[in-house]
Amino acid sequence: MKAEIISIGDELLIGQVINTNASWIAEQLNLSGISVYQIVTISDERVHILKTLKEAGDRSDIILITGGLGPTKDDITKETLCEYFETKLSFNEEVFKNIQLLFEKRGYKISELNRKQAEVPEGCIPLPNIHGTAPGMWFEKKNTIYVSMPGVPFEMKALLSDFVIPGLLSRFKTGAIVHKTILTHGLPESLLAKKIEHWEDNLPKHLKLAYLPKPGAVRLRLTGKGNDKSALENEIEEEIRKLQLIIPTEIFGFDNDSLSQKVGQLLREKGMTISTAESCTGGFIAHLITSVAGSSDYFKGSIIAYANEIKEQSLGVKTQTLIDHGAVSEETVLEMVTGIKSRFKTDCAIATSGIAGPGGGTDEKPVGTTWIAISTPFKTFAKVYEFGDNRERNITKAAMTALNLIRKELSS
Amino acid sequence: MKAEIISIGDELLIGQVINTNASWIAEQLNLSGISVYQIVTISDERVHILKTLKEAGDRSDIILITGGLGPTKDDITKETLCEYFETKLSFNEEVFKNIQLLFEKRGYKISELNRKQAEVPEGCIPLPNIHGTAPGMWFEKKNTIYVSMPGVPFEMKALLSDFVIPGLLSRFKTGAIVHKTILTHGLPESLLAKKIEHWEDNLPKHLKLAYLPKPGAVRLRLTGKGNDKSALENEIEEEIRKLQLIIPTEIFGFDNDSLSQKVGQLLREKGMTISTAESCTGGFIAHLITSVAGSSDYFKGSIIAYANEIKEQSLGVKTQTLIDHGAVSEETVLEMVTGIKSRFKTDCAIATSGIAGPGGGTDEKPVGTTWIAISTPFKTFAKVYEFGDNRERNITKAAMTALNLIRKELSS
């Protein structure tokens, strides 16, 4: 069984709107055991729509279409579907009642344009749109199912969850499909691949591995397909246990976990608090920590010490240290971390000092040079990194690396 | 002239990754006067890639491909391109030098896998990837140009901007196209549209307006198409002058300007410095300010005071103020802003205190309630906002609103 997604809309082709609908639909289908063969984004243009429907119909069993159902002139999906299915529009009392209800709730008056939205192609099954005026439309032709949905995300989402997925599941017997994403930090993709090569080569044939790198992390996704869902889940768990023996410190979580959430969880478990003293990361570590709901339970605060005088005055870094070693040095970052920890009376602390760029680099300390210090009740240390020459990525990498260092300390 | 985008990657088809690359490429092509016919997202699967290349080649002049160029086994784009163009891989010294340089800078050892990344199909022109190991590859076949790029966004973006777009523009004659994006803050889309309705209705026919909302800002893009570039530019400038009379305080910049950059520019012009005292924004304002290169010239630092004891101890907020009015109050946020300004000896300061959510709301102060205080050498004041119930959006909106408040003070 193959599904295909067709996204209709000029706004997608000029890059004005990011196609989040297609990703969301793809995710929902996969979670239901339905594979997506491809996603096509096309313009609001009759010939293009007809051609795409024909091609999709020739190869796929399920075709989900979004967009082009609005009340304005540039929306031509409904008329084009009539042409494709060789049928005509006809007024539907049920659909009209839904529109009336919606307008009453919002206190608007129904216009002639809205009345036209109650017309649907004869032969299709209209699906109720509880959030908007354009109904979903379910068609069948030569054993292929076509569903047309509005492009407004929250309207489409309700339609898909409430009617389309249940409808598809009652029609098709789907196999079991299990995904698990393993989150790692600390090794670039190529070195990680080398290290887990043997494990990867010995994976059972029906488990597939994918690498998904992003700044400061490499995600590994294991996908298993088969008939028995719980057997697949067990197999994946078993493979993850093997992997944990190979890269025990690199794995920081699974699926939608984040480093800051993981650090928060460890702090909470141990009843510890944290603070940060940030120079080059400029508050980004504090931002990541406080992006997690409930972080006020363990995060007390930070001092962002961009100017040297703030490092001295608010963190207690010695003037002589700054003169002798500079702001970007092991000595300074260690004084920063002990300074924030004692002033904010926290159990743990993170400090950063580096040259984010693009200016400020020297031969000895090029742009990207970053000192990170970590302090826990048991240990205080600093490490130096060279991240590269892109300011934005340097800030991200320094923050992620710092969070991973404290995570490793708290996990050990 | 027609362009087409092919995105390769299983992660896109299972909905794990949103296809932001395709939108960005589509936007860049459109800005250069090249229309995008369609976007196809397919799996890392040989037959599927070959079929898609063939179909795209039959109808389009320019085919831009991303993804599947990593060093690992699931990446098969390069081998498949060889098959499609009937050629073979061959080691490229230039590409290898780039990889070596990159690894030296990062202090990693080159593995056999990386050496393999220096192999490119014979007959293609490799395009330097300054941020990664996989080069871009420019092919031509029957008057159609194919360019394969890595899927890592910042690698792809540099390649596209530095080599692909200039290469395409030197080959194809595109008409004059001028875009100008006007950045506004302070009015939601519908109210803004109402306010500028008359101006919009009277735009010359060949100037098109698009609304691009995002959290904390509405962008208006004017696009002019024609033959005479400088005439178009003049017309657009003229329309913007008219618009500035209608919404003088809402417009904060143009094109790639950001609020934090604009604030930085104003501070620099006036020779002033700034600091922040953040509670609910948790360092996000400091992060936005320090994301701008050179911000150390005017940004001294911040205190992130998440815990009340930090508000008292490090910012001088009175215990009685916290008892009488609570942390989320006009009194507290005003003490925070004067506290940071005097302690960090800056000319200006920003302070925030709010309930980001999802917990912590009360009937009197629901989730989203946010106090923002601004201080300049001339004025100190606080305002309260109710942003909503989404934590991430509350943090973003509070930070953007705070930056816009100080921008307006510094501009007046």
Side-chain angles (χ1 to χ4, degrees):
Chain A
M1 190 198 4
K2 268 203 280 196
E4 191 156 339
I5 299 166
I6 301 175
S7 306
I8 302 176
D10 293 343
E11 69 281 12
L12 299 165
L13 291 176
I14 65 164
Q16 185 168 347
V17 172
I18 294 172
N19 197 351
T20 52
N21 274 353
S23 307
W24 193 83
I25 296 172
E27 192 179 10
Q28 300 308 308
L29 288 173
N30 270 279
L31 291 173
S32 308
I34 300 168
S35 304
V36 176
Y37 173 72
Q38 73 176 20
I39 300 166
V40 190
T41 307
I42 59 172
S43 62
D44 292 289
E45 203 271 312
R46 186 183 140 267
V47 177
H48 200 171
I49 297 174
L50 289 172
K51 182 171 172 292
T52 309
L53 286 171
K54 170 85 176 61
E55 286 169 0
D58 287 346
R59 66 187 163 230
S60 295
D61 310 294
I62 299 164
I63 296 156
L64 301 185
I65 306 150
T66 58
L69 295 182
T72 51
K73 280 178 203 135
D74 53 335
D75 294 307
I76 59 161
T77 300
K78 203 156 64 174
E79 288 71 17
T80 312
L81 286 169
C82 274
E83 192 174 343
Y84 182 71
F85 292 108
E86 295 166 329
T87 181
K88 61 181 205 302
L89 288 178
S90 143
F91 183 79
N92 186 300
E93 201 57 53
E94 279 296 305
V95 174
F96 187 63
K97 272 189 197 148
N98 180 55
I99 298 177
Q100 273 182 314
L101 211 73
L102 207 77
F103 272 66
E104 267 169 35
K105 260 205 255 171
R106 298 188 185 163
Y108 297 147
K109 257 181 67 182
I110 290 194
S111 72
E112 203 43 43
L113 270 179
N114 301 122
R115 212 185 141 79
K116 244 186 97 62
Q117 289 205 281
E119 293 180 358
V120 296
E122 283 178 13
C124 88
I125 304 167
L127 308 175
N129 178 354
I130 52 168
H131 296 303
T133 50
M137 294 174 284
W138 176 294
F139 299 87
E140 304 202 11
K141 183 180 181 177
K142 292 184 193 159
N143 284 320
T144 297
I145 291 170
Y146 299 74
V147 186
S148 164
M149 295 174 285
V152 183
F154 79 111
E155 297 183 17
M156 177 280 289
K157 287 182 182 179
L159 264 167
L160 191 90
S161 304
D162 297 347
F163 301 104
V164 184
I165 297 274
L168 294 175
L169 291 181
S170 74
R171 281 289 291 275
F172 297 95
K173 202 182 138 39
T174 62
I177 183 162
V178 177
H179 298 281
K180 184 100 181 177
T181 304
I182 304 137
L183 310 171
T184 78
H185 181 97
L187 282 177
E189 187 179 2
S190 57
L191 294 184
L192 180 67
K194 189 85 202 147
K195 201 157 180 183
I196 65 172
E197 192 176 22
H198 182 74
W199 171 82
E200 186 178 351
D201 288 344
N202 287 292
L203 282 172
K205 279 231 171 74
H206 55 286
L207 296 189
K208 231 182 129 181
L209 184 74
Y211 287 78
L212 313 169
K214 64 176 188 177
V218 177
R219 292 165 297 163
L220 300 170
R221 190 187 58 232
L222 267 178
T223 300
K225 288 184 185 181
N227 295 314
D228 184 342
K229 190 168 177 179
S230 76
L232 282 173
E233 283 169 348
N234 289 338
E235 268 186 302
I236 286 181
E237 287 307 321
E238 175 62 29
E239 291 304 331
I240 289 175
R241 269 193 296 276
K242 289 186 205 161
L243 187 65
Q244 275 170 323
L245 298 175
I246 309 169
I247 45 168
T249 60
E250 280 82 3
I251 296 176
F252 69 81
F254 300 95
D255 297 327
N256 294 319
D257 289 350
S258 71
L259 262 176
S260 48
Q261 186 195 39
K262 205 72 201 173
V263 168
Q265 188 188 316
L266 288 163
L267 288 166
R268 194 187 294 273
E269 279 168 22
K270 293 175 193 285
M272 288 184 184
T273 56
I274 196 166
S275 57
T276 75
E278 306 184 42
S279 184
C280 64
T281 46
F284 193 53
I285 300 175
H287 169 60
L288 291 177
I289 293 175
T290 57
S291 292
V292 179
S295 46
S296 55
D297 291 347
Y298 47 81
F299 176 69
K300 280 199 177 178
S302 302
I303 288 178
I304 317 303
Y306 233 52
N308 278 350
E309 59 185 274
I310 308 292
K311 291 187 183 81
E312 296 177 46
Q313 195 193 97
S314 298
L315 290 168
V317 173
K318 293 189 213 86
T319 314
Q320 200 57 44
T321 307
L322 290 168
I323 293 169
D324 290 348
H325 305 283
V328 181
S329 66
E330 180 168 16
E331 290 78 4
T332 297
V333 84
L334 283 172
E335 290 184 17
M336 285 170 72
V337 86
T338 50
I340 192 78
K341 198 178 158 189
S342 68
R343 280 160 197 242
F344 278 21
K345 297 188 188 67
T346 53
D347 305 300
C348 303
I350 297 173
T352 60
S353 187
I355 301 151
T362 62
D363 277 356
E364 203 198 334
K365 293 176 185 174
V367 167
T369 306
T370 307
W371 277 97
I372 299 175
I374 298 292
S375 187
T376 69
F378 318 109
K379 202 169 165 188
T380 298
F381 64 94
K383 282 190 163 192
V384 67
Y385 297 86
E386 280 195 24
F387 290 124
D389 50 16
N390 180 290
R391 181 177 183 88
E392 193 188 330
R393 286 175 64 88
N394 283 341
I395 294 171
T396 306
K397 285 185 177 177
M400 297 290 278
T401 303
L403 287 171
N404 197 44
L405 283 174
I406 188 93
R407 178 193 66 82
K408 287 207 256 182
E409 284 309 310
L410 293 174
S411 321
S412 62
Chain B
M1 188 197 6
K2 266 203 279 197
E4 192 156 339
I5 300 167
I6 301 175
S7 306
I8 302 176
D10 293 344
E11 70 279 14
L12 299 165
L13 291 176
I14 67 161
Q16 184 160 18
V17 172
I18 293 172
N19 197 353
T20 53
N21 274 352
S23 306
W24 193 84
I25 295 172
E27 191 179 13
Q28 299 307 307
L29 288 173
N30 272 280
L31 290 174
S32 308
I34 300 168
S35 303
V36 176
Y37 173 72
Q38 75 175 18
I39 300 167
V40 190
T41 305
I42 58 172
S43 62
D44 292 290
E45 201 271 312
R46 186 183 139 268
V47 177
H48 200 171
I49 297 174
L50 289 172
K51 182 171 172 290
T52 309
L53 286 171
K54 169 85 176 61
E55 287 169 359
D58 286 346
R59 65 186 162 228
S60 294
D61 310 293
I62 299 164
I63 295 155
L64 301 185
I65 307 149
T66 57
L69 295 182
T72 51
K73 285 180 194 135
D74 55 329
D75 294 307
I76 59 160
T77 300
K78 203 156 66 175
E79 288 70 18
T80 312
L81 286 169
C82 274
E83 192 175 341
Y84 181 70
F85 292 108
E86 296 167 328
T87 180
K88 61 181 205 300
L89 288 178
S90 144
F91 183 79
N92 185 299
E93 200 57 53
E94 279 297 304
V95 174
F96 188 62
K97 273 190 194 148
N98 179 55
I99 299 176
Q100 274 183 314
L101 211 74
L102 207 77
F103 272 65
E104 266 171 33
K105 262 207 250 170
R106 297 186 186 165
Y108 295 145
K109 257 182 67 182
I110 289 193
S111 72
E112 202 46 42
L113 270 180
N114 300 122
R115 214 184 139 79
K116 245 185 96 63
Q117 289 204 283
E119 292 179 358
V120 295
E122 284 178 14
C124 88
I125 304 168
L127 308 176
N129 178 351
I130 52 168
H131 296 303
T133 50
M137 295 175 285
W138 177 293
F139 298 87
E140 305 200 10
K141 184 179 180 176
K142 292 185 195 156
N143 285 322
T144 297
I145 291 170
Y146 300 74
V147 186
S148 163
M149 296 174 286
V152 183
F154 82 110
E155 298 183 15
M156 178 280 288
K157 286 181 182 180
L159 264 166
L160 191 91
S161 304
D162 297 347
F163 300 105
V164 183
I165 296 276
L168 294 175
L169 290 182
S170 74
R171 282 287 292 274
F172 295 95
K173 201 182 140 38
T174 61
I177 184 162
V178 177
H179 296 279
K180 185 100 182 179
T181 305
I182 303 137
L183 311 170
T184 78
H185 182 96
L187 281 177
E189 187 178 2
S190 56
L191 292 185
L192 181 67
K194 191 84 201 145
K195 200 158 181 182
I196 67 172
E197 193 176 21
H198 182 74
W199 170 82
E200 185 178 352
D201 289 344
N202 286 292
L203 282 173
K205 280 229 170 75
H206 55 286
L207 297 189
K208 233 181 127 179
L209 184 74
Y211 287 79
L212 314 168
K214 62 176 187 178
V218 178
R219 294 165 296 162
L220 299 170
R221 192 181 56 223
L222 267 177
T223 301
K225 287 186 185 177
N227 294 314
D228 185 343
K229 192 170 178 177
S230 77
L232 283 173
E233 283 170 346
N234 288 338
E235 268 186 302
I236 286 181
E237 287 307 321
E238 175 60 30
E239 291 303 332
I240 288 176
R241 268 192 296 274
K242 289 185 205 162
L243 187 64
Q244 274 170 323
L245 297 176
I246 309 168
I247 45 168
T249 60
E250 281 82 3
I251 297 176
F252 69 82
F254 299 95
D255 298 326
N256 294 318
D257 289 349
S258 69
L259 263 176
S260 49
Q261 186 196 40
K262 204 71 200 175
V263 168
Q265 188 187 315
L266 288 163
L267 289 166
R268 195 188 294 275
E269 279 169 18
K270 293 176 193 286
M272 289 183 183
T273 55
I274 196 166
S275 57
T276 76
E278 306 183 41
S279 183
C280 63
T281 47
F284 193 54
I285 300 175
H287 169 60
L288 291 177
I289 293 175
T290 58
S291 292
V292 179
S295 47
S296 55
D297 291 348
Y298 47 82
F299 176 69
K300 280 198 177 179
S302 301
I303 288 177
I304 318 302
Y306 232 52
N308 278 350
E309 60 185 271
I310 309 291
K311 291 187 185 80
E312 296 178 45
Q313 197 193 95
S314 299
L315 290 168
V317 174
K318 293 189 212 86
T319 313
Q320 201 55 44
T321 307
L322 291 168
I323 294 169
D324 290 349
H325 306 282
V328 180
S329 66
E330 179 168 18
E331 290 77 5
T332 297
V333 83
L334 282 173
E335 290 184 19
M336 285 171 73
V337 86
T338 49
I340 191 77
K341 198 178 158 190
S342 69
R343 279 159 198 241
F344 278 21
K345 297 186 188 69
T346 53
D347 305 299
C348 303
I350 297 172
T352 60
S353 187
I355 302 151
T362 62
D363 277 355
E364 202 198 335
K365 294 177 186 175
V367 167
T369 306
T370 308
W371 277 98
I372 300 176
I374 298 292
S375 187
T376 69
F378 317 109
K379 201 168 166 186
T380 298
F381 65 94
K383 283 189 163 191
V384 68
Y385 297 86
E386 278 194 26
F387 291 125
D389 52 14
N390 180 291
R391 182 178 182 88
E392 194 187 327
R393 286 173 65 90
N394 283 342
I395 294 172
T396 305
K397 284 184 179 176
M400 297 291 278
T401 303
L403 287 170
N404 197 44
L405 283 174
I406 187 94
R407 177 192 68 80
K408 286 208 255 180
E409 284 308 310
L410 294 174
S411 322
S412 61

